[in-house]
Amino acid sequence: MYRYVYILVGQSHLMPSKQRGEELRKIIKSVRDGTFEYKSKEPATTDWAQYDQAQVYEMVYYPDNIRDLVDEADERIKQRTPPRKRGPGRPPTDPANVAKVLLLQTYVNSSNRLAEGFLILFLEKLGIDGHFSYKTIERGYDKGQVNKILDEIVVITNESVEGKEKTFSFDGTGFSTSNKENYADKRQKQNSKKGSKKSKSASKEQVYDSFPESNSVAKKGFSYSVMGIGVQHKLISGISISPDHSIGETTMFPEAFNQTLDCHPNLDGVLGDGIYACRWIINLVSENNSTPHFLPRSNVTFKSKGALEWYDMLYSLWEDPLEWLEHYHMRSISETVNSMVKCRFGAPLRKRLESRKKTETQLKLVGHNIRRVGYLEIMGDVVPHWRGGM
């Protein structure tokens, strides 16, 4: 009597030989040290006349989009939320009005008191039906309803590129509460310290993914975030925020990825740097019919350890590194968007309470989307379906 043992191998690939593993590690090492030989490609073309016009009209479009996007988000939330009986006392300030002021405050980088002045100035432009004090603006950072509106704005802005955006890059960053600390500098120092240590196993290296820690006193640390970003239109599609540096990027990845998946159910490719090159993340991405492109560590092995998608990704890198890397290097778009956010909304965080720091960070990222759709509208890439009367 014979016994047959069936071994499931991803896409009918045979297990690679020792030589293939060595070749793969050489490819990864050459990519990391900059010696890999790429084929040149045609540079992207930009209509600079339209781009100049978009910059000129940025401040014109931004308040209009704040008004229309917040109104649309608020209406959607009300439609799916059962009405609640109001209790005694003065009626609360409409969270939609508060959200409008907070988004404008984020754009002009003002204190709460100055934001009250901007409220008076932009009252009609923002479609706000009444004045409220700077203390109401301050308490807006604690309102969960404001955060729901911000989440909905991310969904609405991504609807404008639905079907056009197929590939998304994920990256983490941090927002400081002090001008004396820079997240990129902290991250670089952290990576150099890790590189100077003795080499560890691949699994141990990938576990160590914590964010760089601030040297500031309590309540003045970084606010950390992981974002999903469409590589073509540069809109943020998923956001995960935490004040805790020890949580790490990989722990925050599923939240940002699932939000992106909700906005774009048919996404094709998911990109990211080496910190996301761990088996469970690759499984998560592949289970949702997406192709992962995460550059692994230099000491990587083909051992799937139960994750067949891990083998598939490494095999495709080994089989055709030029094509694989052409997709992978689009992940730099996420770094571009990080830079765009920091340049326009890069002022240090003003808030000290963790819940308020989270809201302030979210306002910066949502503010980027609002600003970006204004540019895309002028460039002819999106049609603002949220615009009143359209």
Side-chain angles (χ1 to χ4, degrees):
M1 182 176 180
Y2 296 93
R3 291 184 179 179
Y4 295 92
V5 179
Y6 295 92
I7 301 176
L8 181 62
V9 180
Q11 298 182 2
S12 302
H13 297 152
L14 296 175
M15 285 298 292
S17 64
K18 182 179 179 181
Q19 290 76 18
R20 285 181 180 175
E22 291 174 353
E23 288 177 8
L24 174 66
R25 288 186 284 274
K26 286 180 181 178
I27 292 170
I28 296 171
K29 186 176 183 301
S30 65
V31 172
R32 292 194 177 279
D33 61 23
T35 59
F36 185 85
E37 295 184 4
Y38 296 93
K39 289 183 179 179
S40 60
K41 63 177 183 178
E42 293 293 327
T45 58
T46 302
D47 188 333
W48 292 110
Q50 280 189 331
Y51 189 80
D52 289 344
Q53 185 183 9
Q55 287 188 311
V56 170
Y57 283 90
E58 177 183 321
M59 188 56 191
V60 177
Y61 278 69
Y62 191 82
D64 287 342
N65 281 325
I66 287 178
R67 179 193 63 231
D68 296 332
L69 282 166
V70 171
D71 286 344
E72 175 69 17
D74 186 50
E75 182 63 27
R76 291 188 184 188
I77 293 171
K78 287 178 179 177
Q79 287 178 358
R80 62 175 183 253
T81 304
R84 292 193 305 173
K85 185 178 179 181
R86 189 174 69 83
R90 187 179 67 178
T93 305
D94 187 350
N97 289 341
V98 177
K100 292 174 183 178
V101 176
L102 294 184
L103 285 165
L104 180 63
Q105 179 188 20
T106 302
Y107 184 81
V108 298
N109 181 31
S110 70
S111 65
N112 294 332
R113 290 175 175 83
L114 284 178
E116 184 180 349
F118 281 109
L119 166 61
I120 298 171
L121 182 63
F122 285 89
L123 198 69
E124 184 177 351
K125 183 75 169 176
L126 293 176
I128 298 175
D129 53 10
H131 175 265
F132 44 86
S133 74
Y134 75 91
K135 294 300 289 185
T136 301
I137 296 172
E138 178 185 318
R139 288 189 293 269
Y141 287 88
D142 296 322
K143 286 183 178 291
Q145 198 65 23
V146 169
N147 297 97
K148 290 180 181 179
I149 290 173
L150 297 179
D151 289 337
E152 194 67 29
I153 290 175
V154 173
V155 174
I156 296 170
T157 52
N158 275 272
E159 286 174 356
S160 63
V161 296
E162 190 174 358
K164 303 176 185 177
E165 196 74 78
K166 296 290 187 180
T167 304
F168 296 83
S169 177
F170 289 80
D171 197 16
T173 189
F175 294 87
S176 176
T177 55
S178 170
N179 277 322
K180 297 179 180 179
E181 286 194 306
N182 179 272
Y183 175 82
D185 181 58
K186 289 279 185 182
R187 189 56 140 176
Q188 187 176 13
K189 289 180 180 178
Q190 183 192 46
N191 290 337
S192 64
K193 287 180 181 179
K194 286 193 290 184
S196 64
K197 294 179 180 179
K198 293 181 179 179
S199 62
K200 304 176 182 178
S201 67
S203 60
K204 288 183 179 178
E205 281 188 343
Q206 288 157 357
V207 168
Y208 188 70
D209 71 331
S210 60
F211 287 99
E213 189 173 6
S214 170
N215 293 331
S216 298
V217 296
K219 298 186 180 180
K220 286 193 176 183
F222 289 108
S223 176
Y224 306 98
S225 67
V226 170
M227 297 174 288
I229 296 160
V231 299
Q232 184 174 348
H233 297 93
K234 300 183 179 69
L235 286 174
I236 297 172
S237 56
I239 303 170
S240 179
I241 302 171
S242 173
D244 186 356
H245 80 281
S246 64
I247 289 180
E249 289 189 43
T250 56
T251 307
M252 297 167 67
F253 175 85
E255 182 180 3
F257 175 71
N258 288 330
Q259 289 177 18
T260 299
L261 199 61
D262 289 340
C263 292
H264 302 275
N266 298 318
L267 64 90
D268 287 338
V270 176
L271 320 175
D273 56 24
I275 206 166
Y276 302 109
C278 49
R279 290 169 176 81
W280 71 268
I281 286 183
I282 290 170
N283 264 4
L284 173 64
V285 171
S286 300
E287 286 169 359
N288 288 282
N289 302 316
S290 302
T291 304
H293 287 82
F294 306 124
L295 187 66
R297 305 281 179 175
S298 300
N299 58 352
V300 69
T301 68
F302 274 98
K303 294 179 181 178
S304 62
K305 298 182 180 179
L308 296 179
E309 293 81 2
W310 172 263
Y311 174 85
D312 291 342
M313 187 188 78
L314 297 185
Y315 190 92
S316 61
L317 170 57
W318 171 83
E319 187 178 38
D320 192 346
L322 280 173
E323 182 181 356
W324 195 94
L325 290 169
E326 184 178 355
H327 291 284
Y328 165 75
H329 282 302
M330 287 191 291
R331 73 163 192 86
S332 62
I333 296 297
S334 57
E335 296 177 0
T336 300
V337 171
N338 274 337
S339 178
M340 292 168 68
V341 174
K342 297 292 179 67
C343 287
R344 188 61 194 83
F345 303 97
L349 299 176
R350 294 174 178 270
K351 307 306 173 187
R352 294 296 177 261
L353 297 178
E354 290 186 354
S355 60
R356 293 184 177 184
K357 283 165 65 176
K358 182 176 180 180
T359 301
E360 190 176 2
T361 302
Q362 188 180 12
L363 284 163
K364 291 176 183 286
L365 301 179
V366 174
H368 164 80
N369 271 18
I370 296 174
R371 176 175 178 250
R372 183 64 185 159
V373 292
Y375 276 63
L376 293 173
E377 181 182 354
I378 292 178
M379 302 286 283
D381 292 328
V382 304
V383 176
H385 61 283
W386 55 85
R387 189 68 51 76
M390 293 190 67

